[in-house]
């Protein structure tokens, strides 16, 4: 709304906006299909909400406008880029602890930014793995919850748990205590020489590091909360154990790539 819709239509009456105008506006995003399509979906949803509330009736100029073709994004950080990013973020922990921790947690856990934004302390349990290391198990509603009806689970490996423990305590109970740190990310990726890399690509990097290390793709899918399976309590426990082990392996590998000394 603020970036793409409001500048064009913000001063207009909803009833005065035509399909032709919306189509021309949407065509302007041909070189940015993701932004254009998400903005069109948002605009259409606003009209749908207006109709539900009786504000506008029978008017939705976004109907029948086809979205731009989208190519599936396959970008992830190379080992050199990952080494640079983790090094920069470790340095930034001294001056921007919450923001740097937020980005490091995406890399070390594969968590969605939206989950980290609202995660609270009471949602994370601490468990001891078979190897005797302490892990965090964060549960809460996420993107897949609306489809599956189940909570998402994010495994917090020991090195990521140390990052969380280093963040100043937040009064509202949020674990990280900040929103997606876009300004810091722009600075980090520029310094690291990967300005086309999105912060969300760190999720894909997490998965790529896991697959290159031999972690089963089904386990990786569960770590990323791509799908949820219906299991009995016994199988759920075994499944969690497997995820904890895999998450630890991936996080350790990322630490090795980055040659980062764990926070004490």
């Amino acid at each position: 709304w603020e970036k793409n819709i409001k500048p064009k239509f913000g001063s207009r009456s909803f009833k005065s906006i035509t399909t032709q105008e919306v189509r021309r506006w949407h065509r302007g995003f041909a070189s940015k299909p993701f932004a254009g399509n998400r903005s069109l979906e948002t605009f259409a949803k606003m009209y749908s909400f207006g109709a539900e509330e009786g504000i506008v009736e029978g008017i939705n100029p976004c109907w029948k406008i086809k979205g731009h073709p989208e190519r599936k994004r396959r970008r992830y950080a190379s080992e050199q880029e990952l080494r640079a990013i983790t090094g920069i973020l470790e340095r930034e922990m001294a001056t921007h602890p919450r923001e740097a921790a937020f980005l490091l947690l995406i890399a070390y856990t594969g968590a969605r930014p939206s989950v980290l934004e609202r995660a609270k302390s009471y949602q994370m349990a601490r468990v001891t793995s078979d190897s005797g290391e302490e892990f965090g198990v964060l549960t809460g509603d996420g993107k897949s919850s609306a489809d599956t009806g189940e909570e998402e689970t994010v495994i917090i490996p020991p090195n990521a748990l140390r990052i969380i423990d280093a963040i100043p305590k937040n009064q509202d109970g949020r674990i990280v205590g900040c929103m997606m740190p876009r300004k810091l990310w722009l600075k980090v990726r520029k310094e690291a020489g990967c300005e086309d890399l999105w912060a969300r690509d760190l999720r894909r990097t997490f998965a790529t590091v896991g697959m290159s290390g031999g972690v089963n793709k089904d386990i990786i899918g569960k770590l990323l909360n791509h799908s949820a399976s219906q299991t009995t309590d016994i199988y759920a426990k075994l499944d969690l154990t497997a995820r904890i082990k895999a998450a630890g392996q991936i996080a350790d590998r990322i630490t090795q790539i980055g040659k980062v000394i764990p926070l004490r």
Side-chain angles (χ1 to χ4, degrees):
W1 167 255
E2 290 292 339
K3 185 176 181 180
N4 298 329
I5 304 172
K6 183 179 178 180
K8 178 68 176 179
F9 300 111
S11 62
R12 299 276 301 278
S13 163
F14 268 16
K15 294 182 180 180
S16 70
I17 299 171
T18 67
T19 299
Q20 290 75 16
E21 288 179 300
V22 176
R23 183 174 287 111
R24 284 196 298 269
W25 163 76
H26 183 248
R27 284 174 180 168
F29 290 95
S31 62
K32 299 178 179 179
F34 289 94
N37 291 347
R38 299 299 86 75
S39 298
L40 179 65
E41 291 167 6
T42 300
F43 207 15
K45 185 64 177 178
M46 291 171 67
Y47 272 96
S48 297
F49 176 78
E52 292 170 2
E53 296 296 315
I55 300 170
V56 291
E57 296 182 2
I59 302 172
N60 193 333
C62 303
W63 287 346
K64 298 185 179 180
I65 296 179
K66 293 183 178 180
H68 297 294
E70 297 180 12
R71 289 185 178 182
K72 189 173 182 179
R73 187 169 173 84
R74 300 183 182 278
R75 183 73 163 93
Y76 56 87
S78 66
E79 287 196 7
Q80 182 179 357
E81 291 169 338
L82 187 56
R83 185 175 299 115
I85 290 168
T86 52
I88 295 167
L89 289 173
E90 285 288 341
R91 182 196 71 203
E92 291 292 330
M93 281 289 292
T95 53
H96 302 92
R98 298 188 191 282
E99 294 81 0
F102 192 108
L103 296 168
L104 283 169
L105 288 172
I106 299 176
Y108 281 122
T109 68
R112 290 188 174 95
S114 58
V115 171
L116 295 177
E117 287 177 346
R118 58 177 178 264
K120 295 201 172 183
S121 299
Y122 73 85
Q123 295 176 307
M124 186 178 74
R126 295 184 181 236
V127 300
T128 302
S129 68
D130 293 340
S131 62
E133 293 182 294
E134 188 177 47
F135 283 72
V137 180
L138 176 66
T139 57
D141 289 338
K143 183 179 179 181
S144 64
S145 300
D147 298 327
T148 65
E150 297 182 0
E151 292 183 315
E152 287 192 357
T153 300
V154 177
I155 307 299
I156 314 291
N159 46 6
L161 207 53
R162 286 191 286 269
I163 291 172
I164 290 175
D165 290 340
I167 304 172
K169 299 300 180 184
N170 201 46
Q171 291 184 347
D172 65 3
R174 286 189 296 163
I175 290 175
V176 184
C178 72
M179 302 297 284
M180 174 70 188
R182 302 182 191 283
K183 186 175 181 180
L184 177 61
W185 174 247
L186 293 177
K187 174 185 174 181
V188 170
R189 72 178 191 178
K190 182 176 182 180
E191 184 177 341
C194 48
E195 294 189 66
D196 65 324
L197 194 70
W198 299 351
R200 286 176 176 79
D201 290 334
L202 294 176
R203 267 172 55 82
R204 194 174 294 107
T205 302
F206 175 86
T208 302
V209 170
M211 293 187 70
S212 65
V215 177
N216 183 283
K217 65 179 183 180
D218 292 331
I219 295 295
I220 291 175
K222 289 184 179 295
L223 288 172
L224 296 177
N225 289 286
H226 283 168
S227 61
S229 58
Q230 301 295 328
T231 59
T232 64
D233 290 343
I234 294 176
Y235 285 110
K237 182 178 179 180
L238 292 173
D239 179 57
L240 181 60
T241 300
R243 279 185 279 176
I244 287 174
K245 180 179 179 181
Q249 291 175 345
I250 296 172
D252 286 345
R253 176 59 182 153
I254 291 175
T255 300
Q256 291 170 5
I257 291 172
K259 295 182 180 179
V260 176
I261 300 174
L263 292 171
R264 298 184 183 278

